[in-house]
Amino acid sequence: MFGDFFSRAIIAGTGLAAVTGPLGCFVVWRRMAYFGDTMAHSALLGVAISILLSINMTLGVFLVAALVAGALLLLQRQATLSTDSLLGILSHSSLAVGLVLVGFLTQVRIDLMGFLFGDILAVSEQDIFIIYGGGIAIIALLAINWRPLLAATVSPELAEAEGLRPEVSRIILMLLMASVIAIAMKLVGVLLITSLLIIPAATARRLSATPEMMAVVAGFLGAVAVIAGLFGSLTWDTASGPSIVVAALAIFLVSLAVPTARLFGRRQDHGA
C-alpha cells in the first residue's frame, strides 16, 4: 500500500522518538531548551566541516556539537556573562559560521533546506542502522547513568554530597544530546530537532507520576507524533519534518484538556 520509502521513514522516525523522548525529559527538567537549540544550530557547522575535511557527516556533527558544549562549560567557569547570553552567542555564531562555510563550498551541491528542516522520506537502510545502533547506545548510557543524572537534576548539591559528581553527569548529558542531534539531523533538520526533544517530554510531564514513567510516555508520544505527522504529510502533501512537529504540538494541546492528575503510574512527589 505504501512505498518502501514511507515504511523506512516510519521505522526511522519511531526509533528516533524512542531516544529523544527520554532524553528530552532531562531537557525539560533542567530547563535546557535554549541549550538544545544551541547544539542543534551547531549541526550545520558540523556539516560544513565534515564536507571540508571529507569525514563522516554524523561523526562531524557530533564532534562539533560536543565542542560547542565544551566551550559553554569553559565559558561558564569564567563567570563574566550569564548562561543565556553565552548560549545566544554560541547558538547564533555557530549557525552563522556554518552558513558562511556552506557558501564557500561552491564545488559541492548542498541541500540547505534539507539540513535545516530534514527529509525523513529520504532515509536509507544505512541511516536506519545508524539511528537504531546509536539510539540503543544512547538509551543504554542513559539507563546506566539514570540515578546520578536524576539526582543532579533534582539537587546538584545533594548529588555532590552523595558522591555522585553532578558535573560529570552534566557532561554525560551534553554528550548524549550531541549524539542524538547527530543522528536526528537528517530526519527532522537542525531547526526542528529541539522541538522533537521538548514537546513530547512536556506533554508526558502532564500525564506521568514518576520520572521513569515520564520517559516512557515521552518516547511513546514522540512515536505517535512521527506516525501521525508522516500520514498527515502524505495526505496533505506537506513537508514531513514540520508535519511531525505540528502533530506533536497537536498532541500537547489535546493534553491540556486532561486534568492535572497523572494518568500513568501512581502519583509520587519528585523534584523533576
Side-chain angles (χ1 to χ4, degrees), residues 28-111:
V28 171
W29 291 331
R30 289 177 173 239
R31 298 175 176 85
M32 293 174 63
Y34 202 3
F35 174 74
D37 269 334
T38 301
M39 296 193 73
H41 288 173
S42 71
L44 191 61
L45 176 58
V47 170
I49 291 177
S50 299
I51 295 173
L52 281 172
L53 301 180
S54 299
I55 62 175
N56 180 271
M57 195 166 294
T58 301
L59 176 61
V61 170
F62 168 76
L63 291 175
V64 170
L67 286 174
V68 169
L72 175 63
L73 290 175
L74 290 175
L75 290 171
Q76 283 179 325
R77 291 179 179 177
Q78 302 297 320
T80 55
L81 288 173
S82 62
T83 298
D84 61 335
S85 296
L86 292 173
L87 287 172
I89 293 171
L90 290 172
S91 174
H92 300 299
S93 298
S94 59
L95 180 61
V97 172
L99 288 170
V100 169
L101 286 180
V102 167
F104 282 115
L105 298 174
T106 55
Q107 75 280 10
V108 181
R109 183 179 179 275
I110 297 177
D111 180 12

Side-chain angles (χ1 to χ4, degrees), residues 75-164:
L75 290 171
Q76 283 179 325
R77 291 179 179 177
Q78 302 297 320
T80 55
L81 288 173
S82 62
T83 298
D84 61 335
S85 296
L86 292 173
L87 287 172
I89 293 171
L90 290 172
S91 174
H92 300 299
S93 298
S94 59
L95 180 61
V97 172
L99 288 170
V100 169
L101 286 180
V102 167
F104 282 115
L105 298 174
T106 55
Q107 75 280 10
V108 181
R109 183 179 179 275
I110 297 177
D111 180 12
L112 191 58
M113 293 297 290
F115 286 122
L116 292 176
F117 297 101
D119 188 4
I120 193 172
L121 296 178
V123 69
S124 65
E125 291 183 1
Q126 182 181 5
D127 293 325
I128 292 176
F129 284 125
I130 292 174
I131 291 165
Y132 276 81
I136 290 172
I138 292 170
I139 290 296
L141 288 171
L142 193 62
I144 292 170
N145 293 279
W146 181 265
R147 181 174 175 270
L149 281 171
L150 190 60
T153 299
V154 174
S155 174
E157 293 78 12
L158 288 177
E160 188 170 3
E162 293 180 9
L164 294 177

Side-chain angles (χ1 to χ4, degrees), residues 191-217:
L191 297 183
L192 301 178
I193 291 173
T194 313
S195 300
L196 202 56
L197 281 166
I198 295 173
I199 300 177
T203 307
R205 188 173 191 174
R206 291 183 50 81
L207 306 175
S208 308
T210 66
E212 294 77 14
M213 187 55 65
M214 179 176 162
V216 173
V217 173

Side-chain angles (χ1 to χ4, degrees), residues 225-271:
V226 166
I227 295 171
L230 285 174
F231 275 100
S233 173
L234 185 66
T235 302
W236 292 295
D237 193 25
T238 55
S240 54
S243 296
I244 292 172
V245 177
V246 169
L249 174 61
I251 295 171
F252 172 74
L253 293 176
V254 170
S255 76
L256 295 179
V258 177
T260 53
R262 308 306 201 240
L263 297 182
F264 301 97
R266 295 179 59 188
R267 185 66 180 269
Q268 296 181 9
D269 293 327
H270 55 79

